[in-house]
């Protein structure tokens, strides 16, 4: 049995950065307030003291250029981990992310890899209003060339971030702001890695498959516990990474249960859940007992009011309702 | 209440070679006759490449192509100041730089024929891919300089771009970082005074582009971009300053885009032929020829021999380029990711 320690999602990310920086001197962490201030969400706590200001570097408030210099540094032989204060500011960096980070390898005729990670906290639910509560995972998933992770547990946070840093692909690494204080057992092994493209069946069940990620996985677990009391058995597939997407595990589960609900925190329209639901329909059409149902964010800018904000983001109750609908085939 | 002058600034402008071929001896860099001939031969090679590329485009053998006509001094003068190990981030109109650094000519043509494999630099060449987006490679150059500094690699990073790029956020953000971190980077702007149809005065109200560097805490200098000696001197000084830890410099090479923006453009629709004629009289090759002629360096059919050699060099590169088989359809997937996902694998296989 490998040893584990209970720790927060935040500390698991910190552990991953610390271990990878110790292991590989080419790993550097650059971003806004990452050094002395130790990150807006304190993920880089203690790293300046341990690794010095050359490796943990505060940058000016220039998101596009934070990603751009990471692109240049990755071409220049480093493994930069850039931090954007939140995913919302990634919109300022979309040109560097989509036009450069995702494409340089291709446009360079394959001459160079781009071993870089852009970390960004995201998600809603903290009453931060329309411009600071967004879930932009579908934006990134639409772009070929990017690898994308979004962990739901502290152990996955450590294992996926370490894999991301060692990966030769450019990686978008999403972290959920409401999960930073969540706790779980995390392997102490510095070689503990969670590979990209392997979804995790975190709960076995027989009646319905719930496909979820990040905080949506936690809500799905709550919904499944409630539904169990009603005699509905849910299987939950935690995606872990959007790209590569583990379609195989999703389809295998949907074939087994015959029903699926796809949960996403982002806006419903053109959201990644539509793509996943389509993959299930295409592969499992003959064996599905009901059409795949989607649970997603409402198509509005996030309201500032805490009361209304809650309605805009999937909840355990809305997931449970969707499962009940699918199980009873009331469409 | 105090109302003091906090700071005052000056912007240098450097010219060494005038339009009659005379130089300011006090400013003239130390160059051997061989070095001056090399400058001339590379300028002729660049112009010959450019003429041939435009002709090939008209024949449908190359794609849309951006001419370097009139910008040879800015490109060759600066590139000759680089060490071979220095890192270069070009935009899309620096074929003179690539030719100076010895980039295989057939690969330049291969790229413009529509084949990304032409961007694959040979071993030991630190030339990054041409950046077709305006100014977005400035942060890459800054990041590469940060990487070089961290790795204790004594290289200088040079980024080339045009006047239009100075309006981009990438320019301002990248310059700001270069200033804050005092990085070994030299920014070379070929101010050819036109961003497609928008003239310089539509791009900035600033008296020069060079002075924009002052706001970021490092020096900007304007040079006569059609004066190969001035460009060479300014670039050499800036590159050596960067190499010795003195930080960034911005060099504005004031030149003129003699041709259309690209082969897809018709500049006669938006600018007067009289303006173009003024700049034709300032042609950088003509100026260097006059200088060489005054020193008896053009004897024994040297000009003709240089042009003949350039033509045969380009001829051979065109033959090499056209013998390269086109990329296979499946190859486009190979460089998309380090590892393809299953959907991409199916698409690669035509499924």
């Amino acid at each position: 049995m490998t040893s584990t320690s209970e720790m927060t999602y935040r500390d698991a990310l910190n552990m991953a950065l610390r271990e990878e920086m110790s292991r590989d001197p080419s790993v550097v962490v650059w971003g806004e307030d990452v050094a002395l201030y130790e990150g807006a969400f304190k993920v880089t706590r203690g790293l300046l003291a341990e690794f010095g200001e050359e490796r943990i570097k505060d940058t000016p408030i220039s998101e596009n250029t934070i990603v751009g210099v990471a692109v240049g540094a990755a071409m220049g032989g480093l493994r930069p981990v850039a931090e954007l204060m939140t995913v919302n500011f990634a919109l300022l960096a979309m040109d560097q992310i989509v036009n450069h980070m995702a494409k340089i390898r291709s446009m360079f005729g394959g001459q160079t890899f781009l071993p870089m990670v852009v970390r960004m906290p995201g998600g809603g639910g903290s009453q931060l209003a329309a411009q600071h509560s967004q879930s932009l995972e579908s934006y990134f998933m639409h772009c070929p060339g990017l690898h994308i992770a979004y962990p739901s547990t502290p152990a996955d946070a450590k294992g996926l971030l370490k894999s991301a840093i060692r990966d030769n692909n450019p990686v978008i690494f999403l972290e959920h702001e409401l999960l930073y204080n969540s706790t779980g057992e995390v392997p102490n092994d510095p070689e503990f890695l969670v590979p990209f493209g392997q979804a995790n069946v975190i709960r076995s069940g027989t009646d319905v498959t719930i496909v979820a990620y990040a905080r949506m996985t936690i809500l799905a677990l709550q919904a499944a516990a409630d539904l169990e009391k009603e005699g509905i058995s849910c299987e939950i597939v935690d995606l872990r990474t959007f790209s590569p997407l583990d379609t195989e595990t999703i389809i295998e589960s949907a074939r087994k249960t015959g029903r699926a609900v796809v949960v996403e925190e982002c806006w419903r329209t053109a959201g990644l859940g539509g793509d996943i639901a389509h993959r299930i329909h295409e592969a499992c059409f003959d064996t599905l007992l009901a059409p795949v149902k989607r649970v997603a964010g409402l198509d509005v800018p996030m309201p500032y009011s805490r009361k209304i904000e809650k309605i805009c983001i999937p909840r355990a109750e809305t997931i449970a309702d969707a499962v009940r609908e699918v199980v009873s085939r009331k469409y | 209440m105090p109302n003091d002058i906090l700071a005052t600034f000056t912007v240098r402008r450097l010219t060494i070679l005038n339009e009659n071929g005379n130089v300011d001896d006090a400013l003239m860099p130390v160059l051997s006759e061989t070095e001056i001939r090399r400058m001339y031969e590379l300028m002729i090679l660049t112009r010959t490449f450019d003429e041939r590329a435009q002709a090939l485009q008209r024949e449908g053998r190359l794609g849309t192509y951006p001419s370097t006509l009139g910008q040879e001094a800015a490109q060759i003068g600066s590139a000759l100041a680089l060490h071979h190990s220095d890192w270069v981030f070009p935009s899309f109109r620096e074929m003179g730089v690539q030719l100076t650094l010895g980039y295989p000519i057939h690969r330049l043509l291969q790229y413009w024929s529509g084949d990304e494999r032409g961007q694959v630099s040979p071993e030991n060449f630190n030339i990054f891919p041409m950046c077709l987006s305006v100014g977005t490679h400035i942060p890459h150059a800054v990041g590469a300089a940060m990487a070089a500094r961290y790795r204790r690699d004594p290289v200088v990073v040079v980024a080339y771009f045009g006047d239009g790029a100075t309006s981009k956020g990438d320019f301002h953000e990248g310059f700001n970082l270069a200033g804050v971190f005092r990085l070994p980077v030299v920014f070379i702007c070929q101010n050819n005074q036109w961003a497609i149809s928008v003239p310089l005065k539509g791009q900035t109200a600033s008296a020069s582009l060079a002075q924009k560097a002052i706001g970021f805490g490092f020096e900007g200098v304007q040079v006569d971009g059609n004066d190969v000696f001035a460009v060479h001197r300014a670039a050499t000084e800036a590159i050596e300053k960067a190499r010795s830890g003195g930080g960034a410099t911005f060099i504005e090479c004031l030149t003129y885009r003699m041709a259309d923006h690209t082969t897809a453009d018709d500049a006669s629709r938006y600018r007067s032929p009289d303006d173009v004629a003024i700049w034709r009289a300032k042609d950088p090759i003509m100026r260097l020829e006059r200088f060489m002629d005054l020193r008896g360096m053009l004897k024994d059919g040297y000009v003709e021999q240089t042009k003949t050699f350039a033509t045969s060099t380009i001829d051979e590169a065109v033959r090499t380029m056209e013998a390269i088989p086109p990329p296979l359809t499946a190859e486009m997937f190979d460089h998309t990711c380090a590892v393809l996902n299953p959907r991409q694998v199916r698409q690669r296989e035509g499924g």
Side-chain angles (χ1 to χ4, degrees):
Chain A
M1 188 93 182
T2 53
S3 78
T4 61
S5 302
E6 190 184 351
M7 67 179 74
T8 61
Y9 187 91
R10 169 188 293 109
D11 289 342
L13 292 164
N14 179 273
M15 188 182 201
L17 289 170
R18 191 181 299 271
E19 286 175 2
E20 292 309 299
M21 292 186 79
S22 302
R23 176 181 175 269
D24 181 352
S26 70
V27 178
V28 295
V29 174
W30 296 338
E32 292 161 15
D33 294 304
V34 297
L36 201 59
Y37 193 69
E38 302 182 316
F41 293 91
K42 306 300 171 201
V43 173
T44 53
R45 185 173 285 156
L47 298 185
L48 175 64
E50 188 168 343
F51 297 103
E53 60 187 20
E54 247 189 325
R55 297 183 71 187
I56 307 290
K57 199 181 265 298
D58 283 331
T59 63
I61 305 173
S62 307
E63 285 80 8
N64 197 46
T65 282
I66 291 169
V67 177
V69 297
V71 168
M75 288 196 282
L78 301 188
R79 285 186 180 268
V81 181
E83 177 177 313
L84 298 180
M85 194 175 281
T86 79
V87 71
N88 305 284
F89 311 146
L91 294 170
L92 288 154
M94 282 307 260
D95 181 58
Q96 285 294 341
I97 292 170
V98 175
N99 271 326
H100 300 281
M101 179 176 164
K103 294 188 176 65
I104 278 201
R105 176 164 160 70
S106 173
M107 295 199 63
F108 211 160
Q111 187 163 25
T112 184
F113 288 108
L114 217 59
M116 61 178 284
V117 181
V118 184
R119 289 182 41 244
M120 39 184 120
S126 305
Q127 208 189 355
L128 293 171
Q131 295 162 332
H132 291 77
S133 304
Q134 298 174 99
S135 296
L136 302 177
E137 42 273 20
S138 297
Y139 283 46
F140 302 116
M141 193 179 174
H142 190 57
C143 178
L146 298 174
H147 279 200
I148 309 151
Y150 204 171
S152 65
T153 65
D156 280 359
K158 174 179 172 178
L160 286 169
L161 183 54
K162 286 167 70 72
S163 293
I165 293 169
R166 295 186 192 188
D167 201 320
N168 279 335
N169 288 292
V171 177
I172 297 288
F173 197 89
L174 298 159
E175 299 164 10
H176 202 289
E177 293 171 22
L178 292 183
L179 293 181
Y180 278 128
N181 288 330
S182 65
T183 56
E185 290 296 322
V186 176
N188 294 316
D189 181 4
E191 285 306 306
F192 169 70
L193 301 171
V194 174
F196 274 50
Q198 280 187 21
N200 192 14
V201 180
I202 56 164
R203 182 190 166 105
S204 279
T206 52
D207 296 327
V208 61
T209 296
I210 305 176
V211 179
Y213 59 86
R215 180 165 172 263
M216 298 300 103
T217 303
I218 310 303
L219 301 181
L221 282 167
Q222 291 166 13
D226 290 342
L227 290 161
E228 192 174 18
K229 294 172 199 154
E230 300 168 24
I232 300 170
S233 165
C234 300
E235 179 150 304
I236 300 176
V237 177
D238 178 3
L239 293 175
R240 286 175 162 162
T241 63
F242 301 124
S243 178
L245 184 74
D246 183 1
T247 313
E248 205 173 303
T249 297
I250 298 167
I251 287 169
E252 194 181 314
S253 176
R255 279 217 179 100
K256 186 180 90 175
T257 62
R259 300 179 185 91
V261 171
V262 181
V263 189
E264 64 207 292
E265 183 166 345
C266 55
W267 295 302
R268 172 182 293 270
T269 300
L272 58 88
D275 187 313
I276 293 169
H278 171 71
R279 291 181 200 231
I280 299 170
H281 281 135
E282 199 171 45
C284 311
F285 188 75
D286 295 333
T287 53
L288 282 178
L289 301 168
V292 178
K293 183 138 185 87
R294 290 174 65 197
V295 179
L298 301 188
D299 289 329
V300 292
M302 192 66 77
Y304 196 11
S305 153
R306 185 177 293 281
K307 187 179 157 211
I308 315 177
E309 179 186 30
K310 280 186 184 157
I311 297 166
C312 296
I313 304 169
R315 286 159 288 147
E317 306 92 85
T318 52
I319 297 169
D321 286 347
V323 169
R324 291 186 193 103
E325 271 191 61
V326 169
V327 171
S328 63
R329 297 194 58 183
K330 281 185 203 151
Y331 271 83
Chain B
M1 298 294 279
N3 188 15
D4 301 335
I5 302 290
L6 180 64
T8 55
F9 302 102
T10 53
V11 186
R12 288 193 297 136
R13 176 181 159 79
L14 182 65
T15 304
I16 297 174
L17 173 65
N18 72 14
E19 286 159 35
N20 301 321
N22 296 311
V23 294
D24 183 327
D25 288 327
L27 295 171
M28 181 69 185
V30 178
L31 292 166
S32 69
E33 190 175 310
T34 309
E35 286 171 317
I36 292 167
R37 286 190 189 279
R38 182 159 160 70
M39 281 177 167
Y40 178 76
E41 287 157 17
L42 284 164
M43 288 166 79
I44 293 291
L45 181 68
T46 301
R47 188 159 292 185
T48 308
F49 176 94
D50 195 66
E51 287 164 358
R52 180 62 63 85
Q54 298 212 56
L56 290 169
Q57 191 279 333
R58 282 193 290 272
E59 293 166 19
R61 292 156 76 186
L62 289 189
T64 302
Y65 171 82
S67 173
T68 55
L69 185 65
Q71 299 180 209
E72 295 87 353
Q75 300 190 6
I76 282 88
S78 57
L80 281 172
L82 288 160
H83 291 185
H84 189 72
S85 55
D86 291 337
W87 295 357
V88 179
F89 286 78
S91 85
F92 53 85
R93 202 191 296 282
E94 274 88 35
M95 280 65 81
V97 173
Q98 284 133 337
L99 292 170
T100 301
L101 296 171
Y103 195 88
I105 302 170
H106 69 272
R107 291 222 183 144
L108 286 177
L109 292 165
Q110 183 188 6
Y111 178 69
W112 290 115
S113 76
D115 186 344
E116 281 96 352
R117 296 174 303 173
Q119 300 249 45
V120 176
S121 278
E123 273 303 302
N124 303 318
F125 274 77
N126 296 324
I127 305 179
F128 289 80
M130 293 181 221
C131 186
L132 278 288
S133 309
V134 174
T136 54
H137 58 310
I138 294 172
H140 304 164
V142 173
M146 288 169 77
R149 151 109 34 108
Y150 176 67
R151 297 167 63 210
R152 307 285 184 266
D153 189 346
V155 296
V156 173
V157 181
V158 176
Y160 285 91
F161 48 88
D163 41 304
T166 64
S167 299
K168 289 289 299 284
D170 304 84
F171 167 90
H172 294 271
E173 293 189 2
F175 269 47
N176 189 44
L177 252 78
V180 169
F181 297 135
R182 205 175 162 84
L183 292 171
V185 59
V186 177
F187 301 108
I188 300 179
C189 176
Q190 294 179 79
N191 175 4
N192 69 17
Q193 308 191 53
W194 289 94
I196 308 187
S197 68
V198 176
L200 186 65
K201 69 176 191 301
Q203 209 67 246
T204 182
S206 188
S208 73
L209 297 177
Q211 71 200 61
K212 289 175 187 276
I214 295 167
F216 299 108
F218 54 90
E219 191 191 8
V221 55
Q222 188 185 75
V223 302
D224 182 334
N226 285 11
D227 170 353
V228 69
F229 298 138
V231 173
H232 187 63
R233 184 188 172 116
T236 304
E237 287 172 356
I239 288 166
E240 292 322 311
K241 180 176 98 180
R243 205 182 307 284
S244 60
T249 307
F250 178 32
I251 301 173
E252 174 194 1
C253 301
L254 185 65
T255 180
Y256 196 81
R257 195 191 78 207
M258 295 302 295
D260 299 332
H261 168 65
T262 66
T263 47
D265 175 39
D266 175 8
S268 70
R269 287 166 51 223
Y270 53 79
R271 68 182 186 187
S272 142
D274 296 344
D275 291 347
V276 182
I278 291 167
W279 281 88
R280 191 169 293 117
K282 301 174 193 278
D283 183 78
I285 294 183
M286 192 167 69
R287 277 159 82 168
L288 183 57
E289 260 178 15
R290 285 176 179 161
F291 168 86
M292 292 169 80
D293 196 22
L294 290 171
R295 277 154 186 76
M297 290 170 68
L298 302 182
K299 290 177 190 157
D300 305 323
Y302 172 72
V303 172
E304 278 316 303
Q305 284 163 26
T306 302
K307 289 180 178 172
T308 304
F309 181 74
T311 302
S312 66
T313 303
I314 303 298
D315 283 346
E316 192 187 324
V318 173
R319 280 195 295 274
T320 306
M321 180 272 285
E322 294 200 318
I324 298 169
L328 302 171
T329 309
E331 279 180 42
M332 67 183 168
F333 288 96
D334 293 348
H335 308 316
T336 300
C337 306
V339 181
L340 296 178
N341 66 42
R343 183 179 268 183
Q344 287 168 320
V345 170
R346 281 197 303 280
Q347 289 176 1
R348 186 181 192 276
E349 287 160 2

